[in-house]
Amino acid sequence: MIERVRAWHPDVPFLREVYHASFDHAYPLHTHDDWAVMLVDRGAVTYDLDRVSHRAAPGALTLLPPGIPHDGRSAVAGTGYRKQVLYLRRDWLPDDTADRVSRHPTLGRGSAESAARRVHAALRYPGEEMAAEHALLVVRDAILAHTGTEVAAVRDAPLARRLRGMLDDRFTESFTIASAAAHLGAHPSHLVREFSRAYGMAPHRYLVARRVDAARRLLVDGCRPAEVAVRTGFHDQAHLTRHFRRVWGVTPGAFARG
């Protein structure tokens, strides 16, 4: 296995660092201040968490809580492994979640694992930070369900309408779900759940749809794709092209020529 390590700081609320590694390395016993959400893509890792042995392998999500000692090594001596890790602020989850997770740190294949993979996929492209933020909220809700923490199911259609109005008014701007939630006086998870329940799609999907629709109108008016991307809130022309083609089946340039 070729050894590779990459780490960076995305501009996503609560997400401190993303770490991708492909190597054969044994971590000594240590702790860290953040939550570590780990996917193993190749090989397997054995680790002791709070003096109990566990195994992390493809098809599952591993949670390493802040402040609890753990180590890690390849499950097969002399064989490497590949992993992707999200480091999230301690307050990403309620204070009492760490002790619960330490007893059951593995979530099998399901919504949490697939959402974590969507986070990593979104972070490959500039301009997809809100999509990554939404997927992190899905991971958060799945962890709370895994630990038996009840999530309030109070319906709040007025809150959903207020967020929709905000997205309609500001769809060309860059902002986060967390900032919208703070402005509306709600928790980000609750805000996303209520919006999705009311309108059948996540807020970031609605925002992109508004931008694509505005881009279509500008292209019909004769604006160049690069100018359209700037005027409709996309990060750049490549960001516009990716979403425009997903919706309309052609690139903005081909649409304009047609």
Side-chain angles (χ1 to χ4, degrees):
M1 177 179 287
I2 300 174
E3 293 191 350
R4 293 191 180 94
V5 173
R6 182 186 177 213
W8 72 99
H9 299 287
D11 188 17
V12 176
F14 290 98
L15 182 55
R16 287 193 186 274
E17 182 183 337
V18 179
Y19 179 61
H20 292 181
S22 178
F23 54 20
D24 180 9
H25 175 65
Y27 290 89
L29 196 66
H30 66 286
T31 65
H32 40 71
D33 291 335
D34 304 318
W35 282 92
V37 178
M38 180 172 69
L39 294 165
V40 175
D41 298 318
R42 182 188 301 171
V45 175
T46 56
Y47 63 97
D48 292 342
L49 176 65
D50 202 18
R51 294 174 291 187
V52 177
S53 294
H54 300 275
R55 180 184 177 95
L61 186 71
T62 297
L63 305 171
L64 300 173
I68 298 181
H70 61 277
D71 58 11
R73 69 205 69 82
S74 176
V76 180
T79 301
Y81 55 89
R82 186 173 67 204
K83 66 176 183 176
Q84 304 179 80
V85 186
L86 304 168
Y87 289 101
L88 293 126
R89 278 177 14 197
R90 181 186 291 260
D91 57 346
W92 180 57
L93 288 166
D95 291 339
D96 62 350
T97 312
D99 288 338
R100 299 183 187 188
V101 166
S102 67
R103 295 190 289 271
H104 304 285
T106 303
L107 280 73
R109 192 183 302 276
S111 61
E113 189 228 3
S114 60
R117 294 196 179 280
R118 292 199 301 275
V119 175
H120 288 283
L123 293 174
R124 292 170 54 195
Y125 303 104
E128 298 293 349
E129 289 80 11
M130 186 181 282
E133 184 184 10
H134 172 255
L136 278 175
L137 292 172
V138 175
V139 175
R140 181 184 185 276
D141 285 351
I143 294 171
L144 292 178
H146 172 71
T147 59
T149 304
E150 292 294 330
V151 177
V154 179
R155 291 184 177 272
D156 194 345
L159 177 65
R161 288 195 295 270
R162 290 170 65 200
L163 177 58
R164 180 172 180 171
M166 186 176 180
L167 296 177
D168 288 340
D169 292 341
R170 299 174 52 189
F171 71 88
T172 62
E173 301 177 27
S174 294
F175 57 93
T176 65
I177 295 170
S179 64
H183 179 74
L184 297 173
H187 189 279
S189 290
H190 179 61
L191 185 63
V192 168
R193 278 195 301 271
E194 290 309 301
F195 188 92
S196 301
R197 179 183 291 160
Y199 300 110
M201 63 195 309
H204 77 279
R205 290 290 187 194
Y206 182 85
L207 185 68
V208 168
R210 287 300 313 271
R211 289 173 175 172
V212 168
D213 190 53
R216 176 185 56 81
R217 294 195 300 270
L218 289 173
L219 290 167
V220 170
D221 289 341
C223 292
R224 294 179 294 108
E227 179 188 357
V228 169
V230 172
R231 291 179 59 180
T232 54
F234 286 99
H235 181 269
D236 53 22
Q237 187 173 340
H239 189 203
L240 164 66
T241 298
R242 186 163 61 251
H243 286 289
F244 194 92
R245 181 159 43 195
R246 180 177 59 83
V247 174
W248 291 102
V250 296
T251 66
F255 183 89
R257 288 192 298 272

